[in-house]
Amino acid sequence: MKLHNYFRSSASFRVRIALNLKGLAYDYIPVHIARGEHKTGPFAAISPDMLVPLLEDEGERFTQSLAIMEYLDEIQPEPALLPGDPVGRAHVRALAESIACEIHPLNNLRVLKYLVRELKLDDEAKNAWYRHWVREGMVSFERQLAQYPAGTYCYGNTPTIADCCLVPQIFNGKRFDCDFSGLPRTMAAFDACMQLDAFQRAEPSNCPDAEA
């Protein structure tokens, strides 16, 4: 397997966690999206959407972190990243999509660059945008967690794709000094995840292309 990714990309972080949880070895191929490497050269030639992560396996290329994680779950069923029952799978997918589809798209790098370059927002205004939408989304996420019986992680007592999405979002939010107060279930799940080696090894600071 080859994973084309960027150390600070939360979508890439999700897939690194999933690969670690599965115990799957892979070649780490850095793509520096802050420098535009995803839009030029070898990576652009193999990635139609010019986004990270991109996973290569068995001659196939896979994009979009949620799709990649479900692919990994199908080719390596244990440990499972989705519950075994349809109800549980639907709930976990909803939690994962709350972050990957509701919070993250408003705050990813290309949006932040657009706010600054095209809309002429200064750093303070850009960061206020980021903090607002992360806070709104995480408060909603906490309400969703409250629907389910308390467990160690987002849903139950084993990590799922919801946890793979949650941890990178919290990491990036902390970089922008987001407010995560008053989110007991959310932060308890985050803290539990960060006790696991699979999450620790996937941290941005542990990546070969990590920068200060």
Side-chain angles (χ1 to χ4, degrees):
M1 289 186 178
K2 296 179 181 179
L3 180 66
H4 302 257
N5 73 137
Y6 178 55
F7 79 103
R8 201 170 275 156
S9 157
S10 58
S12 298
F13 192 174
R14 297 167 194 158
V15 176
R16 295 196 301 269
I17 294 168
L19 285 162
N20 290 346
L21 286 169
K22 296 288 187 182
L24 293 169
Y26 63 96
D27 293 332
Y28 186 110
I29 301 177
V31 180
H32 202 301
I33 63 174
R35 296 176 187 160
E37 290 181 1
H38 56 305
K39 295 182 178 181
T40 60
F43 183 75
I46 65 171
S47 176
D49 59 6
M50 292 185 284
L51 297 172
V52 294
L54 181 147
L55 181 74
E56 294 189 82
D57 184 41
E58 300 291 343
E60 297 286 344
R61 298 185 181 116
F62 305 96
T63 60
Q64 295 297 326
S65 61
L66 294 180
I68 292 172
M69 289 191 289
E70 293 214 24
Y71 168 74
L72 296 175
D73 217 33
E74 292 180 3
I75 65 169
Q76 178 88 3
E78 296 297 332
L81 297 179
L82 285 165
D85 62 296
V87 171
R89 287 196 296 274
H91 288 326
V92 166
R93 286 182 175 123
L95 288 169
E97 290 176 15
S98 290
I99 292 173
C101 302
E102 300 292 341
I103 302 174
H104 179 243
L106 289 168
N107 297 292
N108 65 21
L109 182 61
R110 59 181 174 173
V111 170
L112 298 181
K113 283 186 173 182
Y114 185 85
L115 292 174
V116 172
R117 293 176 179 175
E118 275 67 37
L119 300 187
K120 309 303 180 185
L121 270 64
D122 59 23
D123 278 348
E124 183 178 352
K126 176 200 71 175
N127 292 343
W129 164 283
Y130 186 102
R131 295 184 190 111
H132 171 79
W133 292 114
V134 170
R135 177 66 186 178
E136 287 278 308
M138 296 315 301
V139 169
S140 172
F141 191 80
E142 180 74 16
R143 289 197 301 266
Q144 292 173 66
L145 292 183
Q147 300 177 97
Y148 315 126
T152 305
Y153 302 100
C154 287
Y155 190 88
N157 294 313
T158 57
T160 65
I161 62 171
D163 301 283
C164 294
C165 290
L166 172 65
V167 166
Q169 184 61 68
I170 298 294
F171 259 78
N172 275 356
K174 287 184 174 183
R175 287 180 50 230
F176 285 83
D177 296 321
C178 292
D179 178 11
F180 294 118
S181 63
L183 306 172
R185 290 280 298 271
T186 299
M187 298 312 295
F190 171 80
D191 290 340
C193 288
M194 293 315 301
Q195 299 301 310
L196 301 179
D197 177 73
F199 286 81
Q200 294 169 9
R201 288 190 289 115
E203 284 186 40
S205 61
N206 290 328
C207 292
D209 56 334
E211 300 170 357

